[in-house]
Amino acid sequence: MPSPRRNAEVRALGALGVSASSSSSPSSPAHGGGGGGRFEFQSLLSSRAPGGEPPAGARLRVSDSPVHRRGSFPLAGAAPAQAPPPPLPEEGRLDLNPSFLAIALRSLLAIDLWLSKKLGVCAGESSSWGSVRPLMKLLEISGHGIPWLLGTLYCLSRSDSWAGREVLMNLLFALLLDLLLVSLLKGLVRRRRPAHNQMDMFVTLSVDKYSFPSGHATRAALVSRFILNHLVLAIPLRVLVVLWAFILGLSRVMLGRHNVTDVACGFFLGYLQYSVVDYCWLSPHNAPVLFVLWSQQ
């Protein structure tokens, strides 16, 4: 049974507009519960500055926030993340698993450079075979393109038979084809001549500063095969033609003009060039205009 004092408190709260149930709840200020937090929050709101900022004691520093310490969200004013380092260029990377073909090519190139330097015994006057250098340079002139072109033109002008003109006309075509293909390949590959070479060659062109392939070797293989197939020669002369082509190619390495692979590929290219000339053989039947014009001259 409620006491007179309890009834007086209820009547006083009713006069203030507060229900009895709320006053008797555990969270009411009368009982010292957690409801006091609402009045504290209202007091904070009522104590705001005129500019709308909360008081200094009511602010929560971002650096003290547990969420910020955990780094669960980026801050608006935080510095941007560092970009990853750029990848290394291709030449700066270490190839840890090269292919078998790459290893074979590098090994072949190393052997080629080493053997070419060992065989360059006539590269200079102070070399081990420097006394033989003038003879090698004379052999170099025998395989040059200009003497062969001028000699073919002279013989063609002096020839008075159709068979001779046909052979000389095709030899002139072969020499021009060789000059064109070698110049084209040298301009595309652009392989430098050996370091021990002396640029004292006979009548050089713009592409003669490059080494691959050897023009003397291609011309030697082309001319020797042409002569052996279209001239009737005795066996000693045929052997001499083959020796001339081989020694001419070897002299290019001994003089330091070319590497071994330049000469080897030159021999192969000259051999193929004759096959092209033989396939496109010029005759009065398939090229009558050329022979008529030359006969009129």
Side-chain angles (χ1 to χ4, degrees):
M1 182 174 181
S3 61
R5 183 179 178 181
R6 177 65 178 172
N7 293 334
E9 290 179 357
V10 171
R11 285 194 299 269
L13 290 175
L16 293 175
V18 181
S19 62
S21 61
S22 62
S23 63
S24 62
S25 62
S27 62
S28 62
H31 289 79
R38 183 177 63 180
F39 295 101
E40 294 177 1
F41 179 72
Q42 290 177 354
S43 64
L44 288 175
L45 291 179
S46 60
S47 62
R48 280 182 179 271
E53 292 292 335
R59 296 174 186 173
L60 178 63
R61 290 186 298 174
V62 177
S63 59
D64 297 337
S65 173
V67 179
H68 173 68
R69 287 196 299 268
R70 289 195 302 267
S72 60
F73 65 96
L75 297 177
Q82 295 183 356
L88 293 175
E90 292 295 334
E91 60 270 12
R93 297 179 183 178
L94 179 62
D95 191 4
L96 299 179
N97 189 20
S99 62
F100 175 78
L101 181 60
I103 296 176
L105 290 178
R106 292 174 185 174
S107 302
L108 179 62
L109 180 60
I111 295 174
D112 178 36
L113 297 177
W114 172 81
L115 185 60
S116 302
K117 190 173 182 180
K118 287 292 183 181
L119 293 177
V121 293
C122 301
E125 289 77 6
S126 59
S127 302
S128 56
W129 288 24
S131 58
V132 193
R133 182 177 171 83
L135 180 60
M136 292 296 172
K137 293 188 68 175
L138 183 63
L139 189 62
E140 178 183 51
I141 297 175
S142 70
H144 201 278
I146 292 180
W148 277 99
L149 286 172
L150 295 178
T152 304
L153 287 173
Y154 176 77
C155 294
L156 188 59
S157 64
R158 303 291 295 179
S159 178
D160 55 356
S161 65
W162 286 98
R165 289 177 183 175
E166 182 177 345
V167 172
L168 291 172
M169 187 75 72
N170 285 275
L171 179 58
L172 181 62
F173 168 65
L175 292 173
L176 292 176
L177 178 65
D178 172 70
L179 183 63
L180 178 63
L181 289 180
V182 171
S183 301
L184 181 63
L185 286 177
K186 283 187 175 182
L188 290 176
V189 178
R190 296 175 179 269
R191 186 183 188 184
R192 294 290 180 179
R193 292 188 181 271
H196 55 278
N197 173 50
Q198 296 183 8
M199 294 298 293
D200 56 350
M201 295 174 286
F202 173 74
V203 188
T204 59
L205 301 176
S206 60
V207 293
D208 285 337
K209 59 184 177 181
Y210 302 120
S211 178
F212 183 89
S214 171
H216 283 71
T218 58
R219 196 170 300 111
L222 173 64
V223 171
S224 61
R225 192 179 178 193
F226 191 96
I227 292 175
L228 295 177
N229 282 275
H230 295 284
L231 293 181
V232 180
L233 300 174
I235 294 180
L237 291 178
R238 297 173 73 89
V239 173
L240 186 61
V241 169
V242 174
L243 285 177
W244 168 79
F246 176 76
I247 296 175
L248 179 60
L250 181 61
S251 68
R252 306 307 293 161
V253 183
M254 295 176 66
L255 284 171
R257 309 293 196 207
H258 295 278
N259 296 307
V260 176
T261 52
D262 301 333
V263 176
C265 293
F267 279 142
F268 181 71
L269 180 61
Y271 187 87
L272 293 181
Q273 282 179 354
Y274 175 78
S275 301
V276 175
V277 173
D278 189 52
Y279 181 79
C280 304
W281 186 263
L282 302 177
S283 66
H285 300 286
N286 57 14
V289 179
L290 292 177
F291 290 91
V292 170
L293 291 176
W294 189 263
S295 62
Q296 289 179 356
Q297 294 178 358

